[in-house]
């Protein structure tokens, strides 16, 4: 605790006088109170001499203490042990401080590296994240250049931490990036659909539109390709003598993380970028369990393409590029035409080539197995001329058209609605109240396949909808705003939540203590010399650095001070009190003499001021 000037006790004054000299203490107090201008030339005694004598007195006193100490061997040994222990503790403290600073510097470097790189994304998938084998020349034409995962995050418009959160492979997690549900299959059973949550869907839309849509595809692929459809897939097989249709078994689950990553590597991307993109586009089978009231998601099996993600169809076309090339070459050598729509393989031929169905099926099975797929044994059909030939649900005997039986049933539905109303009628999987909406959708489908047959059906359904007051939903835009903004790397919503940045690692408490001690030492050095601590631990107040020289000015006759600076009353009273205490320590009479002299000087100054007024 710092005491106010003038409030020192007698013991503290004794300590200060014993460490220096009486003259030095009196000089310090007189300088502090303004009776003796610091740095000014004075006749006797000179300030420098008094200070020098005080320093010599302190040095002599220290030598006397050391001499007294070494006269006693036991005391000297204890002092030596004390000094050695103090030095050892200081070295230990320095070692601990050096270690703490090293750990903190490494933590800061690791924090900075985490902000610039992705170093771990789970067990079994992080081996290639530290690779730097990016070769811009190997990148396919038209694809965006992505040097590292940070460039991927910047292109998506998200932070590196969010990309790490979306791509991390967790065997057990409290959150799931997908919403799972089932739909019935055409052939019986149920199909599991994994719909990505908005945050992951945003990243997948960017991968789809900014990357996969620009990758080259084989011309035999018709599924999920802009400008192609089931109509173009079926048109290649119209009027053929034989049509062969095969189906790939477990098509989406067969495409696992390893194959998807290899396809991104084949596009020319480095190992870290291919790893992140493959993790974004795949997921493992998940079992939802509840433990102690908390819902957890446990991964089961390897990661693979989810049915329901917007990137999955485009990735199947990329992975099957080599399969399409090999099957197209086989078909051309045997005189067949080949197309593929997702997992549906179709071959057709006419003339002599129509008799080579056996060799075709043999080699197709071998090529499909070599590419890592399996032909479904129950879904292989050979359709010859003279019977119904169908490709992807459309008739191809003479032209591409909707099956005649389906059109007959649809016209019967419209006739029944026109005569008896829509109540109790259904079409497809829609309910009773949505029959007109389902009928309008099918009429538009017929118009897409055969415009001359579908246009009258669309007009008829719209007329029925107006008659029965059915609400017609407006056609949705082909690319929603969410997808468009995601492809541009912009947050789809203005209120889109952005995760907070990871805070800096906190330093060790010993570092904070050392910094505080260094700051205190700097503050003391800035205060200037002259504040020498006494034996009692209190600072020797009073010595101030010499003030900057001021321009000479004429003495004021009213004030009567030599330096022209008036003295405040409280300063005079405080100075008299301190001088009285210092003199009384030496002799009571001397203290009384100092008090009388101070009163005389004060009375003289007061009379001079009165006379000046």
């Amino acid at each position: 605790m710092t005491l106010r000037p003038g409030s020192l006790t007698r013991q503290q004054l004794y300590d200060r006088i014993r460490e220096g000299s009486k003259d030095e203490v009196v000089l310090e107090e007189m300088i502090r109170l303004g009776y003796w201008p610091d740095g000014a030339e004075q006749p006797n005694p000179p300030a420098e001499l008094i200070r020098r004598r005080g320093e010599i007195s302190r040095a002599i006193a220290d030598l006397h203490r050391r001499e007294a100490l070494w006269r006693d061997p036991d005391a000297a040994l204890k002092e030596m042990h004390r000094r050695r222990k103090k030095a050892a503790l200081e070295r230990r403290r320095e070692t601990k401080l050096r270690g703490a600073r090293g750990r903190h510097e490494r933590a800061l470097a690791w924090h900075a590296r985490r902000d610039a790189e992705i170093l771990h994304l789970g067990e079994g998938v992080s081996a290639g994240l530290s690779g730097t084998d990016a070769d811009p020349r190997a990148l396919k034409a038209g694809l965006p250049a992505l040097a590292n995962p940070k460039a991927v995050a910047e292109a998506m418009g998200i932070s590196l931490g969010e990309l790490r959160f979306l791509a991390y492979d967790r065997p057990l997690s409290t959150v799931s990036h997908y919403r799972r549900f089932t739909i019935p299959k055409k052939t019986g059973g149920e199909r599991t659909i994994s719909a990505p949550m908005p945050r992951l869907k945003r990243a997948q839309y960017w991968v789809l539109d900014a990357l996969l849509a620009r990758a080259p595809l084989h011309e035999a692929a018709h599924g999920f390709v802009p400008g192609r459809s089931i109509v173009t897939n079926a048109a290649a097989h119209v009027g053929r003598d034989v049509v062969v249709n095969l189906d790939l078994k477990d098509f989406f689950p067969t495409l696992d993380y390893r194959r998807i990553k290899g396809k991104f590597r084949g596009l020319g991307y480095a190992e870290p970028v291919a790893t992140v993109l493959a993790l974004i586009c795949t997921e493992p089978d998940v079992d939802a369990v509840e433990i102690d009231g908390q819902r957890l998601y446990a991964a089961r099996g390897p990661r693979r393409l989810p049915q329901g993600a917007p990137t999955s169809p485009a990735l199947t076309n990329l992975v099957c590029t080599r399969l399409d090339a090999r099957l197209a070459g086989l078909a051309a050598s045997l005189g067949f035409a080949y197309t593929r729509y997702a997992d549906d393989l179709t071959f057709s031929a006419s003339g002599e080539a129509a008799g080579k169905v056996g060799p075709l099926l043999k080699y197709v099975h071998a090529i499909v197995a070599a590419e890592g797929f399996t032909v479904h044994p129950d879904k292989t059909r050979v359709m010859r001329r003279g019977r119904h030939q169908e490709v992807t649900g459309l008739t191809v005997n003479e032209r591409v058209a909707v099956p005649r039986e389906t059109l007959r049933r649809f016209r019967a539905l419209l006739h029944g609605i026109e005569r008896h109303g829509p109540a109790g009628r259904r079409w497809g999987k829609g309910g009773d109240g949505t029959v007109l909406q389902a009928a309008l959708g099918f009429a538009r489908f017929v118009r897409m396949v055969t415009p001359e047959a579908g246009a009258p059906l669309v007009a008829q359904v719209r007329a029925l909808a107006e008659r029965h007051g059915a609400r017609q939903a407006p056609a949705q835009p082909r690319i929603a705003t969410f997808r468009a903004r995601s492809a541009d790397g912009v947050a789809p919503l203005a209120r889109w939540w952005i995760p907070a940045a990871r805070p800096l690692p906190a330093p060790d408490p010993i570092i904070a203590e050392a910094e505080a001690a260094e700051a205190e030492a700097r503050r003391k050095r800035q205060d200037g010399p002259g504040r020498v601590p006494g034996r009692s631990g209190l600072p020797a107040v009073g010595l101030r650095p010499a003030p900057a020289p001021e321009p000479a000015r004429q003495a004021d006759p009213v004030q009567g001070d030599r330096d022209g600076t008036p003295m405040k009353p409280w300063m005079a009273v405080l100075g008299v009190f301190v001088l009285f205490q210092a003199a009384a320590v030496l002799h009571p009479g001397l203290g009384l003499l100092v008090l009388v002299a101070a009163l005389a000087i004060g009375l003289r100054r007061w009379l001079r001021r009165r006379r000046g007024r």
Side-chain angles (χ1 to χ4, degrees):
M1 181 179 66
T2 303
L3 298 178
R4 293 178 301 171
S7 60
L8 303 178
T9 64
R10 178 174 296 184
Q11 182 60 42
Q12 293 165 355
L13 285 173
Y14 275 137
D15 292 340
R16 290 186 59 189
I17 294 173
R18 187 181 297 110
E19 290 183 356
S21 66
K22 182 184 72 173
D23 293 337
E24 185 182 15
V25 174
V26 173
L27 175 63
E28 291 175 1
E29 293 301 319
M30 292 180 70
I31 291 174
R32 184 177 64 82
L33 296 176
Y35 288 104
W36 191 302
D38 190 16
E41 297 182 359
Q42 301 294 334
N44 280 315
E48 277 301 319
L49 179 61
I50 295 177
R51 288 173 179 155
R52 180 60 181 161
R53 186 166 58 184
E55 293 175 0
I56 295 174
S57 299
R58 283 191 293 273
I60 293 175
D62 184 61
L63 291 174
H64 282 305
R65 283 196 299 271
R66 292 185 180 182
E67 181 188 12
L69 178 66
W70 292 107
R71 287 177 183 173
D72 186 358
D74 294 336
L77 185 61
K78 289 181 180 180
E79 178 65 16
M80 182 181 66
H81 288 167
R82 186 186 67 81
R83 291 184 179 181
R84 288 185 177 179
K85 183 177 181 180
K86 182 179 179 180
L89 292 176
E90 184 63 25
R91 288 194 301 270
R92 183 183 302 175
R93 180 182 175 278
E94 292 177 357
T95 303
K96 187 176 180 180
L97 178 60
R98 189 164 52 250
R101 284 177 172 169
R103 289 190 301 271
H104 186 58
E105 290 175 358
R106 290 192 295 271
L108 291 177
W110 179 257
H111 182 273
R113 191 177 179 188
R114 280 178 59 91
D115 286 344
E117 303 177 41
I118 292 182
L119 304 173
H120 186 73
L121 289 175
E123 297 182 3
V125 298
S126 304
L129 291 176
S130 58
T132 56
D133 54 349
D135 186 5
R137 296 173 296 179
L139 192 64
K140 300 293 183 182
L143 296 179
L146 303 171
N148 47 52
K150 187 174 183 180
V152 177
E154 292 174 352
M156 290 182 178
I158 61 179
S159 65
L160 194 65
E162 184 174 351
L163 181 63
R164 183 185 293 111
F165 168 70
L166 295 176
Y168 204 94
D169 183 40
R170 299 172 178 83
L172 187 66
S173 176
T174 57
V175 297
S176 176
H177 294 306
Y178 290 87
R179 183 174 61 88
R180 297 168 180 84
F181 56 92
T182 59
I183 59 174
K185 289 184 179 180
K186 246 181 175 181
T187 56
E190 292 184 338
R191 187 188 310 276
T192 301
I193 302 297
S194 300
M197 303 299 281
R199 194 167 294 275
L200 178 61
K201 183 181 289 187
R202 173 191 176 184
Q204 291 179 346
Y205 270 140
W206 182 90
V207 175
L208 174 63
D209 294 331
L211 195 153
L212 298 179
R214 305 178 184 180
L217 299 176
H218 195 275
E219 59 182 7
H222 287 262
F224 317 108
V225 179
R228 305 179 192 177
S229 64
I230 60 173
V231 179
T232 60
N233 183 67
H237 307 285
V238 174
R240 297 301 183 106
D241 291 341
V242 63
V243 177
V244 181
N245 187 267
L246 303 95
D247 190 85
L248 300 180
K249 185 179 181 181
D250 297 332
F251 184 53
F252 279 88
T254 304
L255 302 177
D256 57 3
Y257 161 79
R258 178 183 56 84
R259 301 183 70 172
I260 301 302
K261 177 183 173 182
K263 178 49 62 176
F264 283 118
R265 291 282 289 143
L267 293 177
Y269 288 110
E271 185 85 5
V273 175
T275 299
V276 171
L277 294 176
L279 290 172
I280 287 289
C281 299
T282 58
E283 66 137 358
D285 292 335
V286 172
D287 292 329
V289 296
E290 191 166 338
I291 300 177
D292 296 335
Q294 185 179 18
R295 193 173 183 82
L296 301 174
Y297 300 90
R300 173 172 48 86
R303 299 181 70 94
R304 50 194 183 183
L305 280 185
Q307 296 189 60
T311 51
S312 295
L315 283 170
T316 60
N317 289 335
L318 283 177
V319 173
C320 293
T321 300
R322 191 171 67 173
L323 172 67
D324 291 337
R326 296 184 66 181
L327 291 180
L330 172 66
S333 65
L334 296 177
F336 280 79
Y338 164 72
T339 61
R340 180 182 60 83
Y341 191 93
D343 59 348
D344 195 6
L345 312 180
T346 305
F347 299 85
S348 64
S350 296
E352 296 181 2
K356 301 178 181 179
V357 175
L360 173 72
L361 293 177
K362 173 184 176 182
Y363 291 123
V364 166
H365 280 75
I367 293 174
V368 168
E371 293 296 325
F373 297 98
T374 304
V375 175
H376 201 296
D378 301 330
K379 294 185 179 181
T380 301
R381 297 180 297 167
V382 179
M383 299 165 284
R384 298 188 180 273
R385 184 182 291 275
R387 58 168 293 188
H388 178 69
Q389 293 177 334
E390 186 177 292
V391 176
T392 54
L394 300 177
T395 301
V396 293
N397 290 78
E398 297 178 359
R399 62 170 186 167
V400 178
V402 178
R404 188 177 303 172
E405 180 61 28
T406 304
L407 279 177
R408 186 180 296 114
R409 288 190 297 107
F410 182 68
R411 289 193 177 96
L413 171 72
L414 297 184
H415 180 72
I417 294 175
E418 188 172 0
R419 293 193 60 184
H420 306 289
R425 302 183 185 278
R426 300 180 58 184
W427 181 258
K429 300 177 183 178
D432 295 340
T434 61
V435 62
L436 289 174
Q437 286 85 350
L440 180 60
F442 183 78
R444 288 171 175 166
F445 168 72
V446 176
R447 185 178 62 180
M448 178 191 72
V449 178
T450 53
E452 65 277 5
L457 294 178
V458 172
Q460 184 179 358
V461 174
R462 285 177 174 171
L464 292 174
E466 291 178 1
R467 181 190 305 175
H468 296 283
R471 183 179 60 86
Q472 299 184 28
Q476 298 294 327
R478 187 174 180 184
I479 299 179
T481 304
F482 183 92
R483 177 174 178 177
R485 293 176 66 87
S486 300
D488 293 337
V490 181
L493 300 174
R495 62 179 183 276
W496 194 266
W497 174 77
I498 299 176
R502 185 183 295 270
L504 290 173
D508 195 277
I510 191 174
I511 299 179
E513 295 175 2
E515 291 178 351
E518 292 175 359
E520 180 66 19
R522 285 195 299 269
R523 187 186 63 80
K524 289 182 178 179
R525 286 195 299 269
Q526 292 174 357
D527 289 345
R531 293 189 179 271
V532 182
R535 183 187 303 179
S536 60
L538 296 174
V541 298
L543 291 182
R544 299 177 297 177
E550 298 180 357
R553 58 184 178 180
Q554 189 175 358
D556 188 355
V558 176
Q559 298 294 338
D561 293 338
R562 182 168 299 182
D563 59 351
T565 303
M567 179 175 293
K568 297 181 180 179
W570 68 269
M571 296 175 62
V573 174
L574 186 62
V576 169
F577 178 73
V578 171
L579 292 176
F580 172 74
Q581 282 189 328
V585 169
L586 302 177
H587 194 278
L590 183 59
L592 184 60
L593 181 61
V594 169
L595 182 59
V596 172
L599 291 176
I601 294 173
L603 181 61
R604 178 173 172 271
R605 289 173 60 87
W606 181 74
L607 291 175
R608 289 179 62 185
R609 289 185 181 180
R610 294 280 296 181
R611 200 178 306 118
R613 293 178 183 174

